[in-house]
């Protein structure tokens, strides 16, 4: 009897010891796993549209956001970049991104767009002798190049000397604060001869890159030469991304990639003037390897214009609020297509990216914020009935001028008017924010109706 009791006690002790040992092993495994594996995190994207001189709107917007979110009214570029995991940009927006990589303060970047002499260096007009006979004749019909591509490249190198010789793959370390390498860049261009988008990445291990996908699917060695799109300087990448064709620059951007001369047009040709969809795709492709739990998007535009249909039923106070009805024709079609790369008429990129991240389609997505001033008619319903009117704070002449101001605004009077539009929007004085989707009255259906609402959601990202 005693031997049975002793044996049973020993078994219980052994079982108890094994249970403790298992718990210790599990605890140790979890501890090591947590210390080795990256903690799932929010992944913040800053997406910057193209838009030439209108990109001053993005700089002023960021200044306002950082002043009110971080009590930092004039942060350095690196201080801004530190708050984001990915910066995707096209054309004018890529110049803003590059200037932040240069670590200029936002006030200094604002001067790049606000100073007529600096603008004229980027938009350097062709002399009479630099134009071909055909180009000179075409300009009579408002078609054809106005600016010198090579002088733009030279100006960019002079304005941004610190990053002019740094390869894309080294930019994240260059912009890191306190040794924390975090922010990646995605700049979009159009390969002239291959007729396809060129994604200039700082992340050479991105699973959105063809070479990395191939390496993964074919089980190629983990260590491989860096993809060619990482072996160009950031200045070269933004030069490619900002060389708008047809009505703007006289030839594609040209520079060597892997000792081969390549030709590029503006990334807007690819349909990515608003690069947010490309940015979201980049994040989703890398979700597993970077332990991305949640994606947050701040997409900043460069101003949009919405006009009424020529046959709008509701009366408009001014005829200028309606789109002109012009008969299609060769000259008109070329003019329209020459500037179409700057447009995103149905707001396709923002809506698709929003839908990918928000399948439930919330009306006000806190983590998908589109910020962009929209110059559009306002529907008034008063004692005189319904009618369309100008937005508050903008005169009829200003409305017409802004509607006609192209992305290559060089003269001070043009840029000052763009700034007035922007300030009106930032101060909620009447210019609405671009919706992700609008209703028939042009009011916000999905998105943020005004800047203050959008700003409040952005600030909520950083509350602890």
């Amino acid at each position: 009897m005693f031997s049975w009791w002793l044996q049973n006690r020993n078994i219980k002790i052994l079982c108890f010891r094994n249970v403790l040992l298992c718990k210790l092993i599990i605890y140790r495994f979890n501890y090591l796993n947590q210390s080795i594996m990256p903690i799932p995190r929010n992944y913040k994207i800053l997406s910057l549209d193209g838009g030439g001189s209108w990109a001053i709107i993005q700089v002023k917007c960021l200044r306002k956001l950082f002043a009110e979110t971080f009590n930092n009214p004039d942060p350095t570029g690196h201080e801004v970049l530190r708050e984001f995991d990915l910066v995707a940009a096209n054309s004018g927006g890529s110049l803003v991104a590059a200037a932040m990589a240069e670590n200029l303060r936002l006030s200094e970047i604002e001067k790049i767009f606000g100073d007529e002499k600096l603008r004229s260096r980027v938009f350097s007009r062709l002399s009479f002798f630099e134009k071909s006979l055909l180009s000179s004749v075409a300009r009579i019909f408002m078609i054809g190049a106005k600016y010198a591509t090579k002088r733009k490249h030279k100006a960019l190198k002079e304005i941004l000397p610190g990053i002019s010789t740094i390869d894309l793959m080294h930019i994240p370390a260059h912009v890191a604060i306190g040794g924390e390498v975090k922010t990646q860049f995605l700049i979009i261009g159009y390969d002239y001869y291959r007729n396809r988008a060129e994604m200039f990445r700082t992340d050479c291990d991105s699973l959105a890159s063809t070479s990395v996908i191939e390496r993964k699917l074919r089980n190629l060695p983990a260590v491989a030469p860096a993809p060619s799109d990482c072996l160009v300087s950031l200045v070269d990448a933004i030069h490619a991304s900002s060389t708008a064709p047809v009505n703007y620059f006289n030839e594609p951007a040209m520079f060597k990639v892997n000792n081969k001369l390549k030709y590029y047009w503006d990334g807007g040709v690819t349909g990515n003037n608003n690069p947010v969809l490309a940015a979201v795709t980049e994040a989703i492709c890398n979700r597993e390897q970077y332990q991305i739990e949640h994606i947050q998007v701040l997409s900043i535009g460069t101003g949009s214009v919405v006009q009424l249909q020529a046959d709008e039923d509701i009366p408009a106070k001014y005829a200028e609020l309606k789109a002109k009805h012009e008969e299609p024709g060769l000259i008109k079609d070329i003019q329209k297509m020459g500037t179409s790369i700057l447009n995103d008429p149905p707001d396709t990129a923002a809506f698709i990216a929003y839908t990918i991240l928000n399948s439930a389609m919330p009306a006000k997505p806190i983590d998908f914020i589109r910020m962009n001033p929209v110059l559009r008619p306002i529907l008034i319903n008063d004692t005189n009935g319904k009618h369309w009117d100008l937005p508050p704070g903008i005169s009829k002449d200003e409305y017409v001028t802004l509607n006609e101001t192209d992305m290559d605004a060089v003269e001070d009077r043009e840029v000052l008017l763009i700034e007035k539009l922007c300030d009106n929007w930032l101060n909620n004085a009447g210019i609405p924010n671009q919706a992700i989707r609008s209703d028939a009255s042009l009011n916000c259906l999905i998105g943020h109706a005004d800047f203050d609402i959008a700003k409040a959601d952005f600030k909520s990202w950083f509350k602890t």
Side-chain angles (χ1 to χ4, degrees):
M1 184 71 177
F2 177 76
S3 61
W4 176 86
W5 176 83
L6 185 62
Q7 185 180 12
N8 189 46
R9 190 194 68 167
N10 290 339
I11 292 173
K12 288 181 178 180
I13 292 172
L14 182 62
C15 290
F16 181 70
R17 187 189 68 179
N18 289 341
V19 168
L20 285 177
L21 184 61
C22 287
K23 287 185 176 181
L24 180 63
I25 291 172
I26 292 170
Y27 173 81
R28 183 64 175 168
F29 174 80
N30 288 337
Y31 174 80
L32 289 173
N33 194 44
Q34 288 175 3
S35 63
I36 294 172
M37 295 296 292
I39 299 172
R41 60 191 175 90
N42 288 345
Y43 186 89
K44 294 180 175 65
I45 294 172
L46 173 62
S47 175
L48 301 171
D49 289 16
S53 300
W54 289 70
I56 193 172
I57 290 171
Q58 296 170 336
V59 187
K60 293 173 75 69
C61 176
L62 286 169
R63 288 191 72 177
K64 181 91 167 177
L65 290 176
F66 273 70
E68 299 191 19
T69 305
F70 303 103
N71 194 28
N72 188 353
D74 192 18
T76 65
H78 291 184
E79 288 173 337
V80 175
L81 295 172
R82 175 176 58 186
E83 303 301 333
F84 299 95
D85 299 280
L86 175 65
V87 177
N90 185 64
S91 198
S94 72
L95 178 53
V96 174
M100 289 194 290
E102 182 77 9
N103 206 28
L104 299 178
R105 290 193 176 275
L106 290 186
S107 60
E108 295 173 307
I109 302 174
E110 195 172 325
K111 287 179 182 176
I112 294 175
F113 294 96
D115 187 309
E116 187 169 354
K117 290 182 179 179
L118 285 175
R119 290 194 304 271
S120 297
R121 289 172 64 190
V122 175
F123 293 106
S124 178
R125 285 197 172 272
L126 295 166
S127 69
F128 175 80
F129 298 102
E130 290 178 301
K131 298 177 184 177
S132 66
L133 178 61
L134 178 61
S135 179
S136 297
V137 172
R139 285 307 306 165
I140 297 173
F141 302 99
M142 305 299 290
I143 300 169
K146 294 175 280 186
Y147 308 109
T149 301
K150 288 185 174 66
R151 287 200 290 274
K152 173 169 73 75
H153 197 192
K154 181 174 182 290
L156 291 174
K157 290 179 179 179
E158 292 170 350
I159 294 170
L160 306 169
I163 59 168
S164 62
T165 58
I166 300 177
D167 284 339
L168 281 173
M169 62 193 301
H170 300 306
I171 289 294
H174 177 75
V175 304
I177 294 178
E180 182 189 5
V181 179
K182 174 183 178 181
T183 309
Q184 301 289 348
F185 287 72
L186 177 66
I187 308 297
I188 302 173
Y190 173 80
D191 190 312
Y192 183 85
Y193 283 110
R194 297 175 68 204
N195 293 319
R196 56 172 292 174
E198 183 73 67
M199 302 294 180
F200 295 100
R201 295 180 176 87
T202 57
D203 184 2
C204 296
D205 294 318
S206 171
L207 281 167
S209 171
T210 301
S211 59
V212 179
I213 294 172
E214 180 183 17
R215 193 171 70 200
K216 179 181 179 181
L217 294 181
R218 294 181 177 174
N219 295 316
L220 298 176
V223 178
S228 61
D229 54 8
C230 290
L231 296 177
V232 298
S233 73
L234 181 55
V235 167
D236 283 346
I238 67 167
H239 179 48
S241 182
S242 62
T243 304
V246 186
N247 267 14
Y248 304 101
F249 289 94
N250 65 331
E251 58 186 349
M254 291 175 277
F255 50 85
K256 287 187 177 181
V257 179
N258 288 341
N259 295 316
K260 295 180 181 178
L261 189 62
K262 300 293 290 287
Y263 296 72
Y264 299 100
W265 280 130
D266 190 301
V269 178
T270 69
N272 287 295
N273 195 54
N274 176 354
V276 67
L277 182 57
V280 168
T281 302
E282 189 82 9
I284 290 174
C285 287
N286 292 292
R287 177 171 258 160
E288 184 177 341
Q289 74 165 331
Y290 296 145
Q291 295 292 297
I292 299 171
E293 184 177 36
H294 190 67
I295 297 171
Q296 296 174 306
V297 176
L298 173 62
S299 171
I300 308 179
T302 54
S304 294
V305 177
V306 176
Q307 290 187 282
L308 303 171
Q309 295 280 359
D311 58 355
E312 168 64 33
D313 293 328
I314 298 175
K317 188 173 182 179
Y318 302 100
E320 289 81 2
L321 297 175
K322 293 185 177 183
K324 293 180 181 178
H325 181 73
E326 298 175 314
E327 289 297 323
L330 178 62
I331 301 299
K332 179 56 61 179
D333 290 350
I334 294 175
Q335 289 174 343
K336 183 174 282 290
M337 293 310 298
T339 59
S340 65
I341 67 164
L342 300 171
N343 297 323
D344 187 17
D347 311 321
T348 305
F351 181 70
I352 295 175
Y354 154 84
T355 305
I356 290 171
L357 297 178
N358 298 274
S359 57
M361 296 185 72
K364 190 172 78 68
I366 294 174
D367 290 326
F368 192 101
I369 302 171
R370 174 66 172 169
M371 290 185 171
N372 190 31
V374 183
L375 183 71
R376 67 167 177 82
I378 304 296
L379 185 61
I380 306 296
N381 191 2
D382 56 19
T383 55
N384 296 319
K386 284 186 177 182
H387 65 278
W388 295 99
D389 204 345
L390 294 164
I394 301 294
S395 71
K396 185 184 77 169
D397 289 342
E398 289 171 337
Y399 185 95
V400 171
T401 301
L402 283 166
N403 189 23
E404 294 175 348
T405 299
D406 207 341
M407 69 97 173
D408 56 336
V410 175
E411 295 182 16
D412 278 339
R413 62 178 182 82
E414 295 174 316
V415 176
L416 286 172
L417 195 51
I418 294 170
E419 290 189 82
K420 179 178 179 179
L421 171 77
C422 181
D423 291 339
N424 181 308
W425 167 64
L426 292 175
N427 293 301
N428 269 20
I431 295 295
N433 188 55
Q434 183 186 25
I436 296 170
R437 268 291 183 267
S438 299
D439 61 19
S441 299
L442 303 183
N443 293 318
C444 180
L445 190 62
I446 298 174
H448 300 80
D450 60 48
F451 178 80
D452 278 356
I453 297 173
K455 178 184 66 180
D457 277 350
F458 175 76
K459 291 172 72 173
S460 74
W461 291 6
F462 302 95
K463 290 181 179 178
T464 55

